[in-house]
Amino acid sequence: MDGRRIGRVVRVLRHRLCWRQLDLAGRAGLSQSLVSLIERGHIEAVAVGKLEAVLRALDADLVLLARWRGGDLDRLLDEAHARLVGVAVELLTAAGWAVEVEVTYAVDFEQGSIDILAWHSGSAALLAVEVKSELVSVEETLRRHDAKARLAARIAVERFGWRGRTVARLLVLPEGTTPRRRVARHDAVLARAYPLRSIDARAWLSAPTTAQGSLVFLPSPPSNRARGRSGSPTRKRVRRAVTRSI
DNA sequence: TGATCGCGGCAGCGAGCAAC
DNA sequence: GTTGCTCGCTGCCGCGATCA
């Protein structure tokens, strides 16, 4: 994102409308200082949401594009996802499931891939597993997971000969404060799709008699690159020294 | 009219911790 | 292992003052 270019765009569009910075600030719900900051290209100090508000007020759109060493960024993003998939596969196989990873499909007008398609022969149960290294949009996740679960039975028969009596859903998220907070924030919606959590979910995996929706948090092992590196950006909490009065 | 600066309030985050 | 809370840190942003 080129801050100077965005600043110039904001200024040109504002001038086109014959507005002062104060006018634009009022319409975007921000302060004049912030508009000035943006127009001078110092967008590193401005929240993306505020930038969007300014551009919306000018009837323009903000498009973000992240780049890093060409294709390496995709590899990096996949890495976190792949690690989580690995942990989920271990959990499922330990619970007696046969698994297939990254099952691609093109059925009717729908195409995509199921992160993990699992089969429990003892219960004739199918499981469509969605692995999210980051829960960005709850609605989008639910919509896509639902679509995959709908197609899972058909794909399982055609590709692997698994004839499931039931098709369940499992959402896998990384262990951590942020994912847990995000889930808590959208619990009303998520609880409908994934009523089983933590211990209950793990118990269900061992005996999947009914088609249930489950959600589990799994620890994602650190990558080889990040492991043991000094000067990692991880924040360390510094405890304030406790002074005791006698 | 716009740019710049300092100050302070607030929210969000990661991490630690205790209870269960 | 899970959950809920607190703590400390950081960044965002409004506000007022000042200057060109």
Side-chain angles (χ1 to χ4, degrees), chain A residues 218-229:
Chain A
L218 296 180
S220 183
S223 68
N224 291 334
R225 236 181 277 180
R227 198 175 293 150
R229 264 177 79 170

Side-chain angles (χ1 to χ4, degrees), chain A residues 40-54:
Chain A
R40 283 176 287 120
H42 299 299
I43 59 167
E44 72 281 354
V46 179
V48 174
K50 304 297 174 185
L51 271 178
E52 281 182 326
V54 166

Side-chain angles (χ1 to χ4, degrees), chain A residues 56 79 149 169 199 228 236:
Chain A
R56 246 200 322 271
E79 204 175 289
R169 285 182 289 178
I199 296 170
K236 291 287 178 194

Side-chain angles (χ1 to χ4, degrees), chain A residues 76 223 225-237:
Chain A
L76 195 69
S223 68
R225 236 181 277 180
R227 198 175 293 150
R229 264 177 79 170
S230 60
S232 92
T234 312
R235 268 205 289 181
K236 291 287 178 194
R237 184 179 169 186

Side-chain angles (χ1 to χ4, degrees), chain A residues 128-175:
Chain A
V129 184
E130 181 78 353
V131 178
K132 303 293 282 183
S133 55
E134 195 178 355
L135 185 61
V136 179
S137 166
V138 172
E139 288 76 15
E140 178 70 4
T141 300
L142 289 173
R143 194 181 61 75
R144 293 183 66 172
H145 200 180
D146 185 61
K148 290 174 186 179
R150 241 185 321 108
L151 297 169
R154 186 170 159 186
I155 296 165
V157 172
E158 288 176 4
R159 298 275 299 277
F160 312 109
W162 296 342
R163 294 185 183 279
R165 278 204 302 267
T166 59
V167 180
R169 285 182 289 178
L170 172 66
L171 178 62
V172 175
L173 297 173
E175 180 58 71

